[in-house]
């Protein structure tokens, strides 16, 4: 009701389980999918892994009651672009959907605080050399700063397809499957100055 009742937003589907979503989502692909964790059958985190493999550009935003470190970390590592708690206000939820579409990583304040603490506790390994070209490093830095492919292309004065081409090489070199995984690895291993 909130999404369909707001100008500029449209709910493309609602599913009772991740299995149902996996079966039906291709009929009308959304820009952003809100996912819960505690679902009947397959968990939302398991489903995210499958969805990211099938639809790498699909944005998956967690909206759940769970605020423990393990689930937050697992969801973000699985490919979630953000993590909101169900007590998020309707206005903030709509703002978070827009933020996700423009390349952001929306999080409830409590979750963001936990993520910062987790990153402080995780000691990165010695800086690995993934043999990124200077152009790939500049592109990865823009993504870490919150840019999406479109705004990164504009900033680098290249085409969107050029960004996609370089991102495929970055994914291969970093051994990741999504923008959020590449950004997380770049931050965790301090690949960007």
């Amino acid at each position: 009701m909130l999404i369909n009742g707001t100008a500029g937003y449209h709910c493309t589907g609602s599913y009772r389980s991740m299995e149902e979503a996996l079966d039906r989502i291709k009929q009308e692909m959304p820009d952003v999918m809100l996912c819960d964790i505690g679902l009947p059958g397959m968990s939302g985190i398991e489903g995210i892994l499958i969805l990211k493999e099938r639809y790498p550009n699909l944005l998956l935003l967690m909206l759940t009651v769970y605020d423990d470190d393990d689930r937050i970390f697992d969801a973000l590592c699985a490919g979630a672009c953000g993590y909101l708690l169900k007590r998020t206000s309707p206005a903030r939820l709509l703002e978070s959907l827009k933020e996700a579409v423009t390349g952001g990583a929306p999080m409830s304040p409590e979750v963001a605080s936990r993520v910062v603490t987790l990153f402080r506790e995780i000691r990165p390994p010695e800086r690995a050399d993934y043999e990124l070209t200077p152009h790939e490093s500049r592109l990865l830095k823009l993504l870490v700063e919150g840019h999406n492919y479109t705004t990164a292309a504009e900033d680098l004065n290249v085409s969107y397809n050029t960004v996609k081409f370089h991102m495929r090489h970055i994914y291969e070199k970093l051994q990741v499957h999504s923008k959020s995984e590449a950004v997380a690895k770049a931050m965790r291993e301090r690949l960007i100055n």
Side-chain angles (χ1 to χ4, degrees):
M1 286 175 47
L2 171 68
I3 293 170
N4 280 335
T6 304
Y9 293 83
H10 170 68
C11 181
T12 61
S14 177
Y15 313 107
R16 296 176 192 266
S17 68
M18 192 53 79
E19 289 86 350
E20 183 182 349
L22 290 167
D23 186 48
R24 294 181 41 214
I25 194 168
K26 61 187 167 278
Q27 295 167 6
E28 191 172 356
M29 187 64 63
D31 294 319
V32 181
M33 181 175 176
L34 293 172
C35 301
D36 199 349
I37 291 176
L39 298 168
M42 181 187 303
S43 82
I45 294 172
E46 292 171 291
I48 284 178
L49 289 166
I50 297 168
L51 285 163
K52 286 309 281 184
E53 187 175 307
R54 289 184 189 174
Y55 313 105
N57 295 324
L58 177 61
L59 299 171
L60 299 151
L61 179 56
M62 299 310 297
L63 180 63
T64 186
V65 296
Y66 299 107
D67 64 354
D68 58 281
D69 292 350
D70 288 340
R71 285 189 180 107
I72 294 168
F73 188 76
D74 290 346
L76 295 174
C77 288
C81 69
Y83 198 105
L84 301 172
L85 298 178
K86 283 197 176 174
R87 60 181 172 260
T88 300
S89 71
R92 176 66 180 125
L93 177 60
L94 292 170
E95 184 181 308
S96 296
L97 291 169
K98 188 179 288 188
E99 186 180 336
V101 169
T102 58
M107 291 187 202
S108 295
E110 313 91 308
V111 172
S113 177
R114 287 177 171 280
V115 169
V116 168
T117 301
L118 281 170
F119 270 103
R120 284 187 187 136
E121 291 172 357
I122 297 171
R123 292 280 176 230
E126 288 298 314
R127 186 176 171 141
D129 184 11
Y130 292 101
E131 298 182 9
L132 295 174
T133 67
H135 189 70
E136 290 166 348
S137 293
R138 282 192 301 275
L139 177 55
L140 188 57
K141 183 173 196 269
L142 289 172
L143 297 178
V144 167
E145 291 170 354
H147 285 265
N148 58 34
Y149 288 10
T150 303
T151 59
E154 290 170 6
D155 196 88
L156 294 171
N157 201 23
V158 298
S159 74
Y160 180 85
N161 287 333
T162 299
V163 168
K164 283 177 61 176
F165 171 81
H166 287 295
M167 285 308 298
R168 278 195 294 273
H169 291 280
I170 291 171
Y171 288 179
E172 287 173 17
K173 290 178 180 182
L174 298 182
Q175 298 178 349
V176 298
H177 299 30
S178 70
K179 181 180 108 174
S180 55
E181 286 180 48
V183 167
K185 190 164 197 168
M187 291 174 65
R188 188 172 52 249
E189 298 188 19
R190 298 181 182 153
L191 301 179
I192 303 302
N193 296 327

